[in-house]
């Protein structure tokens, strides 16, 4: 469902940025990883984050600089965008107001810290990292947006994740997809989803 939504949003972006002209002489832009709130679309292009109104108009650069930004995620109130930034060779979690401004760095660990989503209360960002792993596998951490230490979620391994609206449960993907874009591959890259009760770390596997 997520990939289908992404294709629809990217198609709309192409129409907005290309003026909706059929058979345009200009080549299409490689617009990736769209995030959507009630009024705005934020997406990745050429290593930066851009935003455009959902009703149409010109896209505006949200971030710039000597680095690469990816994986934008809107906060629950739609006012802030969390993203993964790679600057000076290190990958960390950042936030930036949707109106624009200076990004705020949330993590400083030498391991890669990749933004996954938000806590429903909007006070912390969900981050994937192997910072405490003994063999390179990832876990999920909650990182406060006002600064402070990351809190490890009580799961042995996790990659992608999304909280329930009340924050008591988490649906997540436990294992790495080692090659997500291998064309026409028919093997076992479709990951199962697990639902974790964060009060006791019990899990329920959703059948494929």
């Amino acid at each position: 469902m997520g990939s289908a939504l992404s294709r629809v949003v990217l198609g709309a972006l192409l129409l907005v940025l290309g003026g909706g002209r059929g058979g345009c002489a200009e080549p299409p832009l490689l617009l990736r990883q769209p995030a959507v709130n009630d009024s705005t679309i934020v997406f990745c292009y050429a290593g930066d984050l851009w935003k455009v109104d959902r009703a149409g108009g010109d896209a505006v650069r949200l971030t710039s600089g000597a680095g690469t930004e990816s994986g934008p995620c809107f906060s629950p109130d739609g006012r802030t965008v969390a993203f993964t930034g790679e600057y000076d060779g290190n990958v960390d979690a950042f936030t930036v107001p949707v109106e624009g401004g200076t990004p705020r760095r949330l993590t400083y660990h030498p391991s890669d810290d990749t933004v996954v989503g938000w806590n429903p209360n909007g006070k912390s960002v969900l981050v994937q990292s192997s910072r405490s792993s003994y063999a390179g596998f990832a876990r999920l951490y909650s990182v406060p947006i006002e600064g402070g230490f990351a809190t490890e979620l009580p799961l042995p391994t996790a990659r992608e994740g999304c909280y329930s609206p009340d924050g008591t449960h988490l649906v997540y993907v436990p294992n790495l997809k080692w090659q997500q874009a291998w064309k026409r591959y028919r093997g076992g890259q479709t990951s199962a989803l697990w639902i974790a009760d964060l009060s006791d770390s019990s899990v329920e596997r959703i059948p494929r």
Side-chain angles (χ1 to χ4, degrees), residues 14 56 85 95 122 140 161 202:
L14 289 173
T95 61
L140 295 179
S202 61

Side-chain angles (χ1 to χ4, degrees), residues 92-117:
D92 286 288
F94 293 80
T95 61
V96 65
V98 71
E99 294 86 2
T102 302
R104 179 172 185 171
R105 185 172 178 176
L106 303 183
T107 60
Y108 293 84
H109 198 276
S111 295
D112 290 358
D113 294 319
T114 304
V115 169
V116 175

Side-chain angles (χ1 to χ4, degrees), residues 11-24 26 29 31 52 56-59:
L13 281 172
L14 289 173
L15 289 175
V16 169
L17 298 181
R21 299 183 300 271
C24 179
E26 298 179 1
L29 301 177
L31 313 176
V52 65
D58 295 328

Side-chain angles (χ1 to χ4, degrees), residues 32-118:
R32 305 177 64 238
Q33 300 176 336
V36 184
N37 71 4
D38 291 340
S39 61
T40 308
I41 301 172
V42 173
F43 60 94
C44 300
Y45 172 66
D48 292 317
L49 300 185
W50 295 70
K51 67 175 182 177
V52 65
D53 195 279
R54 288 184 64 168
D58 295 328
V60 177
R61 193 193 306 262
L62 188 59
T63 61
S64 62
T68 301
E69 295 88 21
S70 62
C73 295
F74 276 108
S75 61
D77 63 7
R79 298 178 180 177
T80 306
V81 177
F83 66 92
T84 303
E86 182 176 355
Y87 307 106
D88 301 321
N90 206 60
V91 177
D92 286 288
F94 293 80
T95 61
V96 65
V98 71
E99 294 86 2
T102 302
R104 179 172 185 171
R105 185 172 178 176
L106 303 183
T107 60
Y108 293 84
H109 198 276
S111 295
D112 290 358
D113 294 319
T114 304
V115 169
V116 175
W118 285 80

